[in-house]
Amino acid sequence: VFDHPVFTGHPRRIPIIDCNLLDFESGTGLLARLDRLPEHRSARGIRHSVTSIIAVAIVATMSGAKSYRGIGEAAADLPQEVLERLGCKFHPVKRSYIAPSENTLRTTLQQVDGDALDTVVGAWITDQDLTARIAAATNDKKKAKANAELVGVAVDGKWLRGTGRSGDEQVKLFAGLLHHSGAVIGQTQVPDRTTENAAFDPLLDQIGDLDGKVITADAAHTNAANARHIVDDHHGHYLLALKANQPTIESTVKSLPRGSFSP
């Protein structure tokens, strides 16, 4: 279904991932998860469900769209079988499935609860087991073996572009990304006039259970509270950078006998 040229041959859009590898329709697929999002619109005049609008936006983004205009253009290009699969409205007169317009996509994405959407999409991406799916699709036994080991999740902050805010008013997001695919599985806004550490606990709470995962972070997040939150509250592992700006911890680690840590 997702082998259509709109995904593979568009001159201005480079697909992020092969959507054929993703679960959209099962009981734990994207559509079922999006159905849990609250309906924020009044019932009058609704043509498209929130689920289908957001699913179309996600597929458009994964096909390489980078703006509201790009998402609208990609949505308009989607073939009938994809629109049907994403739960879009069937027009009885035109006898075809109708994609949501750019304006509908824009207003819905602007009004939906961003934190709730991040949680739903992040959990869906986490559960996709993309390494195993890609390995199976390419018969890559090395990737399949790597998938049985700990899953790395890098946490880092990035300034958000295109918000119309600058200087001290810029929006900064703190996100968790899968090492093997770069997929964002959770993100939260760093509160104004604070550091990324203020968003560390909320991000882990959003990602949820870290069993089988190892959190990696730079030296700014190396402290006992963060380590305890990872291990005690979320049952995960950590690999935190250590620099000379924390001389007490650094000297303690250096004094440990050789072999105290795994290679």
Side-chain angles (χ1 to χ4, degrees):
V1 174
F2 293 104
D3 294 328
H4 191 276
V6 67
F7 304 105
T8 59
H10 197 280
R12 298 194 308 275
R13 294 196 294 266
I14 300 175
I16 297 172
I17 192 171
D18 182 357
C19 288
N20 287 302
L21 300 173
L22 304 175
D23 175 14
F24 288 91
E25 297 156 305
S26 78
T28 57
L30 178 64
L31 301 183
R33 295 172 189 257
L34 292 176
D35 279 341
R36 303 170 193 164
L37 292 174
E39 174 59 76
H40 59 274
R41 305 168 297 174
S42 62
R44 185 178 179 180
I46 290 180
R47 296 183 62 194
H48 302 278
S49 68
V50 169
T51 294
S52 65
I53 294 170
I54 296 177
V56 166
I58 289 172
V59 168
T61 302
M62 288 182 170
S63 73
K66 297 180 179 179
S67 64
Y68 286 125
R69 180 177 179 180
I71 291 172
E73 291 175 348
D77 290 340
L78 293 178
Q80 285 290 293
E81 56 268 30
V82 171
L83 294 176
E84 179 183 11
R85 186 174 177 184
L86 298 180
C88 291
K89 180 181 177 63
F90 183 79
H91 197 291
V93 176
K94 296 181 179 180
R95 304 294 300 172
S96 62
Y97 292 93
I98 307 298
S101 67
E102 178 187 336
N103 183 62
T104 297
L105 288 158
R106 180 191 298 268
T107 55
T108 301
L109 291 174
Q110 289 176 340
Q111 294 173 5
V112 73
D113 185 327
D115 289 337
L117 181 59
D118 276 339
T119 299
V120 167
V121 176
W124 172 65
I125 293 173
T126 302
D127 292 343
Q128 289 302 287
D129 199 10
L130 292 179
T131 304
R133 291 173 185 261
I134 294 171
T138 60
N139 197 28
D140 190 330
K141 295 181 179 179
K142 184 176 180 180
K143 284 184 178 179
K145 180 180 179 181
N147 188 58
E149 301 171 355
L150 289 174
V151 175
V153 179
V155 295
D156 195 15
K158 298 293 181 185
W159 293 107
L160 189 62
R161 297 179 180 178
T163 61
R165 300 170 66 180
S166 60
D168 293 338
E169 298 299 316
Q170 270 192 290
V171 174
K172 190 173 189 179
L173 297 179
F174 191 56
L177 301 86
L178 295 176
H179 282 209
H180 60 270
S181 66
V184 175
I185 61 172
Q187 62 183 6
T188 187
Q189 184 172 341
V190 178
D192 292 341
R193 297 177 178 82
T194 66
T195 67
E196 292 177 7
N197 256 317
F200 194 91
D201 287 3
L203 174 62
L204 295 193
D205 291 341
Q206 186 185 106
I207 295 175
D209 188 27
L210 294 174
D211 184 33
K213 299 181 179 65
V214 55
I215 295 293
T216 64
D218 60 33
H221 305 291
T222 304
N223 59 64
N226 287 345
R228 279 195 295 267
H229 197 53
I230 293 169
V231 176
D232 296 340
D233 298 335
H234 292 277
H235 318 110
H237 306 266
Y238 61 82
L239 183 61
L240 305 177
L242 183 61
K243 293 184 178 179
N245 63 335
Q246 300 192 62
T248 302
I249 301 177
E250 185 185 38
S251 62
T252 299
V253 170
K254 286 183 177 180
S255 69
L256 292 172
R258 182 179 296 273
S260 297
F261 301 98
S262 58

